[in-house]
Amino acid sequence: MHTSRTEPPAQGTAADLEHQKAAITSLGHELRALVEATVRTAASPDTLHRVADGVRHLTGQLTGRRRARAEIPEVDDFPAGPRMYSPVTGAGSPLAPPMHITPTPDGLIGRCVLGIAHEGPPGYGHGGMSAMLLDEIMGRACVAAGMPGLTVSLQMRYHRPVPLETPLSILGRVTGTDGRKIFVTGSVTAQEDPATELVTADGVFVTPDRRRTRVLFPDL
């Protein structure tokens, strides 16, 4: 029987989901290695064309049902848990560093390493990557504080360039609230020099009301 793109997937067992997550993680790891090799290579045009043909063949093997635009993957625990395809933290995403997040006494800390694929100025991360890392950790800090919120504003301050291929620490913590508004701060530092802030941010997030939540996330 044909399965439509919008039909929800069948629910698997816990073991099935863990097996799926392991496969997604494995593919994501190899795709990130491919992306990094792609942006670093000085291979000949013939080699690049040959690799492109091989990648096209591999893409053709990803057949079957495709997830709809607003559909939450079965392997995700939205909104509080891990998201396998997040461009920031997703183990299955070829775009993500990926950032690993753990709690601190007053917030959250993320750890990651930016590669050449995330380059802005030669040898340093793109400023947009810093913003994306901070937006993620600050939003997750709201969730960890029991106040899931959406970004209203994010004021960035770039103090020093963020080095590539260097272990980074990304901090986020809630500093106050005003009704449904949540005030959050964040920073990016090198793990070897945590006292020197490379990028800092002040953010305002807002907890959407039930009506707005239903509009934005009808599948919840």
Side-chain angles (χ1 to χ4, degrees), residues 12-74:
T13 66
D16 291 337
L17 287 178
E18 288 306 312
H19 186 59
Q20 183 75 4
K21 288 180 180 180
I24 291 170
T25 298
S26 178
L27 178 59
H29 175 78
E30 297 304 330
L31 288 175
R32 286 190 292 276
L34 175 62
V35 169
E36 190 72 6
T38 298
V39 299
R40 300 189 79 135
T41 188
S44 69
D46 287 345
T47 297
L48 296 178
H49 281 301
R50 185 169 63 252
V51 171
D53 289 340
V55 172
R56 191 176 302 113
H57 174 71
L58 291 174
T59 301
Q61 296 183 47
L62 297 177
T63 59
R65 181 185 180 279
R66 290 181 178 268
R67 177 163 58 94
R69 180 179 67 87
E71 181 184 333
I72 300 169
E74 188 182 11

Side-chain angles (χ1 to χ4, degrees), residues 147-170:
M147 300 174 289
L150 301 175
T151 312
V152 173
S153 66
L154 198 64
Q155 183 175 356
M156 307 290 300
R157 296 180 182 85
Y158 295 88
H159 306 284
R160 295 173 176 80
V162 176
L164 300 176
E165 301 181 327
T166 300
L168 302 174
S169 295
I170 301 91

Side-chain angles (χ1 to χ4, degrees), residues 181-203:
K181 288 184 179 180
I182 310 159
F183 303 102
V184 194
T185 61
S187 65
V188 178
T189 64
Q191 289 185 26
E192 64 182 13
D193 185 14
T196 301
E197 293 179 328
L198 306 176
V199 184
T200 57
D202 293 301

Side-chain angles (χ1 to χ4, degrees), residues 21 72-73 75-84 86 89 101-103 108 136-137 139-150 217 220:
K21 288 180 180 180
I72 300 169
V75 292
D76 281 4
D77 182 12
F78 181 81
R83 303 197 67 193
M84 293 299 293
S86 163
T89 61
I101 298 176
T102 55
L108 296 176
E136 178 74 15
I137 199 75
R140 293 280 288 270
C142 294
V143 174
M147 300 174 289
L150 301 175
F217 309 111
L220 285 181

